[in-house]
Amino acid sequence: MKVKKAELTAVAVREEQYPSEDKPEIAFAGRSNVGKSSLFNMLVGRKNFARVSGSPGKTRTINFFEVNDSFRLVDLPGYGYAKISKAQSRSWGEMIEKYMESRPNLIKVFQLVDIRHDPSVQDIQMYEYLKYFGLDGIVVATKSDKISRNEMQKKLSAIRKILGMKSEDKLIPVSSLKKTGGDIILDEIETLIESAMSGEVLQHEI
């Protein structure tokens, strides 16, 4: 898939602010500072498409990006940042849960983890949550340029084991810095969108 057009179409904190349900959506979830914004920029081929901040916890809204006039990529607030208040953390968690549980045109959530570290308790909880709602199956291991090739397989195996991924589940190492792995993600998205449009993928059960 080639991204020819991409634009921010909605910024939401409440359900009534979501865009219409007329297009399939692929969401991205991950801990604060895992590299979601950098990944978005790589996928659409634009440097400042999604803002990149050195301060974790900056994404405080659900951001909807329409791509090629045919589907949306959805940037969810980062979770697990210790320096925000418990009330704010709870608010963001409720925001994410509401979207995932109520959005009928959401067909998959790509979960991002930092390849350098074992998945956290929050990462495991998120994967179990996605599994419960049938939205799991694809994990993106970011910042793969930060480790050696020899270390990569060991890290990927650890991620699979800790999250309890099935053999058929996909784990994609990416580097926004070296621009690697983005083509694999776009191919996966294209397959998901085509299946959804042909009716092969049903709405996830709530």
Side-chain angles (χ1 to χ4, degrees), residues 109-129:
V109 177
F110 284 60
Q111 183 177 0
L112 277 61
V113 297
D114 188 329
I115 198 170
R116 299 171 297 177
H117 312 295
D118 287 347
S120 67
V121 171
Q122 291 98 335
D123 288 327
I124 296 168
Q125 289 172 341
M126 175 59 75
Y127 197 72
E128 290 295 322
Y129 183 85

Side-chain angles (χ1 to χ4, degrees), residues 131-196:
K131 192 182 295 183
Y132 180 80
F133 287 105
L135 295 167
D136 64 313
I138 303 179
V139 175
V140 176
T142 63
K143 308 184 183 184
S144 65
D145 56 284
K146 305 294 185 185
I147 62 173
S148 68
R149 286 182 175 272
N150 291 335
E151 216 178 346
M152 186 174 296
Q153 285 308 314
K154 180 181 175 183
K155 292 290 188 181
L156 294 176
S157 295
I159 290 169
R160 280 190 170 276
K161 182 177 181 181
I162 293 169
L163 291 181
M165 296 177 69
K166 301 186 288 289
S167 58
E168 64 268 25
D169 291 342
K170 294 171 182 175
L171 179 56
I172 307 169
V174 302
S175 167
S176 300
L177 183 65
K178 293 190 175 181
K179 303 291 190 291
T180 58
D183 54 339
I184 299 173
I185 293 175
L186 288 173
D187 286 347
E188 290 292 337
I189 290 173
E190 184 173 31
T191 300
L192 288 165
I193 298 300
E194 288 176 351
S195 296

Side-chain angles (χ1 to χ4, degrees), residues 46-150:
R46 282 157 61 180
K47 282 186 178 179
N48 298 309
F49 180 67
R51 287 174 294 178
V52 178
S53 172
S55 301
K58 275 291 187 182
T59 302
R60 298 173 183 177
T61 54
I62 299 176
N63 300 327
F64 296 80
F65 300 93
E66 194 158 307
V67 180
N68 294 348
D69 295 320
S70 59
F71 68 95
R72 298 188 193 102
L73 299 180
V74 182
D75 186 10
L76 299 173
Y79 56 83
Y81 184 48
K83 291 187 179 180
I84 62 172
S85 69
K86 288 184 178 180
Q88 193 169 38
S89 178
R90 186 166 56 250
S91 173
W92 293 357
E94 290 170 357
M95 193 191 307
I96 294 171
E97 288 175 15
K98 184 67 175 175
Y99 169 73
M100 288 186 183
E101 294 177 15
S102 66
R103 195 67 170 162
N105 52 322
L106 173 62
I107 58 177
K108 184 66 70 176
V109 177
F110 284 60
Q111 183 177 0
L112 277 61
V113 297
D114 188 329
I115 198 170
R116 299 171 297 177
H117 312 295
D118 287 347
S120 67
V121 171
Q122 291 98 335
D123 288 327
I124 296 168
Q125 289 172 341
M126 175 59 75
Y127 197 72
E128 290 295 322
Y129 183 85
L130 296 177
K131 192 182 295 183
Y132 180 80
F133 287 105
L135 295 167
D136 64 313
I138 303 179
V139 175
V140 176
T142 63
K143 308 184 183 184
S144 65
D145 56 284
K146 305 294 185 185
I147 62 173
S148 68
R149 286 182 175 272
N150 291 335

